[in-house]
DNA sequence: CGTTCCCTTGAGTAGTTTCAATACTTGTGG
DNA sequence: CCACAAGTATTGAAACTACTCAAGGGAACG
């Protein structure tokens, strides 16, 4: 599989526009990165406000995007393997938020000057990189929907359904379950509630036969019911078959 | 000013990276667009799921991004003049959300094939376009923070503070006030509450001497207190002076 | 000048938070 | 291998925030 041939970038856009990448582009992308590094749980990978001249591919493990204000930390994003987690630092230079590793993670960095060359010489690949940053934006929008429209149980259900689907796309989900570095405090933060309340939500999800959230492990008991409870429609993840992007349109060819 | 020389794209990135555009790029960008068109209040400019081969510059008026689910509509974004409101349709091809005009608006369209040429031949301008889509993502993240962390009054205060600042950047704010096509139903939706409750919030904001929200007009009474109530830190808008982007780094030059 | 949409207010209820106390897990050192 | 500490999860009760239902008032538009 792609993960073996491309140990660093093999999961990038997997299940989405991966098939739109030429072999030349896959080789090129893989070659952009410096050596693989490891990061510990809760290690800050990128700090809000700092200047960066490199961006990060998440190879193994998880990460979260956080915004601080008055001692409070809000989790505003969750990243899985294959995510180019701070590619936007290339265009923004400074990040408006921090990126923190969750669990043991493997990452690889690409210096921005190499991305400049891609912009100059590989417009099609550049556009795929752009696409991947817009996927994050689409997920952000769905989180806004989730927080603005759903009660706590729906938010919890939506998040679990989303993560399961995203892990599935990059081959990191087992049948009906996945491992996670999140605890109930993280989950509460992501769902915009308190840990005490999310604990009752977790109990309710289990009692309703939708999903189980245990330390480090999530079991999807009834996927369809879970997705319904969370009003989860996966098309915003732009998976293959959802919006079927790239099938009817050639991406990146100037005409 | 730029608005006179460039009637269509003159407000694009104004107050942010506008100064990083060369005159050549400003001319080029202006020339990309077809004739200016008008749109009515609540007119759907772009429909979720449809295929598009053009993108839209918002010249005058406002627009909102909406996600539908089960008859419910959630507003997940708010756009002001100078916003390239669906540039992401260029990379995504289909949108995960709809874009709806608010009030009388003027827009102009650019066919995607012209953007292809920009990608191929103008990597620096392409990167500025990319930057502008990432600004939207940064605003999305802040909305997630707002919904996840603040109570209703803080959310209302945050939104008013943000819009005032954004309008200021494109020269569309008067001293301490601005006009808006939003009613309290919109405001409630944006803040993730009910109209009845936001009505009480509006009253509280007025009684606390922070801001007034009247039909079509918002008055900022005490900006500092309003921003404090909303935990509003404008740096995520990447205005001049905030993260001071582009000053210490050359943007877009491959080295 | 009436219709319609929007705003406003009140009262009861539901959802969520806060505070507090207890149990369970995991890791560490004796 | 057990004891302890620290973090995490669970439960209960009271307080609060926000929602729902309902009705009345005000502004805008034809």
């Amino acid at each position: 599989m792609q993960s073996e041939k491309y140990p660093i970038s093999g999961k990038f856009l997997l299940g989405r526009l991966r098939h739109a990448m030429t072999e030349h582009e896959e080789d090129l992308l893989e070659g952009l990165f410096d050596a693989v590094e490891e990061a510990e749980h809760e290690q800050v990978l990128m700090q809000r406000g700092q200047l960066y001249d490199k961006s990060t591919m998440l190879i193994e493990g998880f990460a979260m995007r956080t915004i601080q204000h008055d001692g409070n930390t809000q989790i505003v994003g969750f990243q899985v393997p294959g995510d180019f987690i701070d590619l936007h630092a290339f265009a923004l230079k400074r990040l408006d938020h921090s990126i923190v590793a969750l669990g043991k993670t493997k990452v690889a960095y690409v210096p921005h000057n190499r991305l400049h060359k891609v912009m100059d010489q590989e417009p099609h690949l550049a556009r795929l990189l752009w696409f991947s940053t817009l996927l994050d934006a689409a997920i952000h929008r769905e989180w806004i929907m989730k927080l603005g429209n759903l009660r706590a149980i729906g938010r919890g259900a939506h998040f679990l359904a989303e993560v399961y689907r995203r892990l599935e796309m990059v081959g990191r989900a087992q049948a009906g379950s996945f491992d996670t570095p999140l605890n109930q405090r993280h989950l509460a933060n992501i769902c915009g509630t308190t840990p005490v309340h999310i604990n009752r939500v977790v109990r309710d999800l289990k009692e309703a036969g939708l999903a189980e959230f245990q330390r480090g492990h999530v079991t999807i008991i009834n996927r369809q019911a879970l997705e319904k409870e969370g009003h989860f429609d996966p098309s915003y993840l732009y998976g293959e078959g959802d919006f079927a992007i790239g099938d009817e349109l050639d991406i990146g060819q100037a005409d």
Side-chain angles (χ1 to χ4, degrees), chain A:
Chain A
M1 287 292 303
Q2 260 127 343
S3 292
E4 287 151 30
K5 189 166 176 197
Y6 304 108
I8 293 173
S9 62
K11 287 191 276 293
F12 180 64
L13 290 183
L14 204 58
R16 276 126 328 167
L17 272 185
R18 184 76 192 188
H19 61 271
M21 285 174 76
T22 64
E23 207 175 332
H24 163 71
E25 288 171 339
E26 290 186 307
D27 291 341
L28 183 76
L29 180 65
E30 182 77 9
L32 291 175
F33 292 92
D34 289 329
V36 174
E37 295 183 22
E38 303 215 332
E40 296 301 313
H41 183 59
E42 299 281 349
Q43 184 180 324
V44 176
L45 297 174
M46 296 279 156
Q47 183 83 50
R48 178 196 132 87
Q50 299 242 140
L51 280 171
Y52 287 105
D53 59 357
K54 62 179 183 178
S55 285
T56 314
M57 172 66 70
L58 183 58
I59 303 167
E60 291 291 344
F62 301 87
M64 57 182 178
R65 304 181 187 279
T66 63
I67 291 180
Q68 234 102 4
H69 75 291
D70 313 334
N72 256 336
T73 299
Q74 174 69 39
I75 301 173
V76 298
F78 181 73
Q79 307 301 138
V80 303
D83 287 348
F84 213 147
I85 50 179
D86 60 348
L87 184 52
H88 47 301
F90 171 61
L92 294 175
K93 282 303 168 199
R94 288 182 200 263
L95 289 188
D96 56 299
H97 61 282
S98 300
I99 300 180
V100 181
L102 283 166
K104 261 204 183 328
T105 65
K106 284 186 191 169
V107 297
Y109 299 105
V110 50
H112 285 169
N113 58 2
R114 293 188 200 146
L115 290 177
H116 276 295
K117 285 200 188 106
V118 172
M119 286 294 286
D120 287 347
Q121 297 159 21
E122 299 279 343
H124 180 246
L125 180 57
R127 191 154 158 231
L128 288 173
L129 295 178
W130 189 356
F131 173 87
S132 81
T133 63
L134 298 180
L135 268 180
D136 284 329
I139 294 170
H140 290 334
R141 284 188 286 273
E142 192 73 10
W143 282 35
I144 292 170
M145 186 288 287
K146 172 182 83 180
L147 291 170
N149 242 311
L150 306 181
R151 346 231 94 240
I153 189 163
R155 297 181 194 176
H158 187 285
F159 178 69
L160 296 182
E162 175 187 301
V163 173
Y164 184 55
R165 173 68 72 122
R166 286 170 69 187
L167 289 175
E168 207 175 38
M169 290 198 290
V170 293
R172 274 289 172 279
Q174 298 121 51
S177 78
F178 59 88
D179 295 322
T180 171
L182 297 170
N183 59 30
Q184 292 193 7
R185 188 131 38 101
H186 292 120
L187 189 62
N189 190 313
I190 288 166
C191 294
T193 71
T194 56
V196 171
H197 194 58
I198 211 67
N199 177 269
R200 304 188 222 260
V201 166
V202 164
R203 176 181 19 97
D204 294 347
L205 285 173
K206 182 176 166 184
E207 280 177 5
L210 302 184
E212 252 180 279
F213 185 96
Q214 293 143 314
R215 273 169 206 257
H217 196 73
V218 173
T219 312
I220 309 294
I221 302 170
N222 184 339
R223 183 178 197 167
Q224 207 182 349
L226 183 75
E227 295 186 343
K228 190 177 174 202
E229 180 71 51
H231 295 257
F232 177 75
D233 169 358
S235 53
Y236 71 94
L237 296 173
Y238 287 84
E240 283 161 354
D242 283 332
F243 281 157
I245 291 154
D247 289 345
E248 63 278 88
L249 276 176
D250 58 332
I251 294 237
Q253 264 54 260
D255 39 334

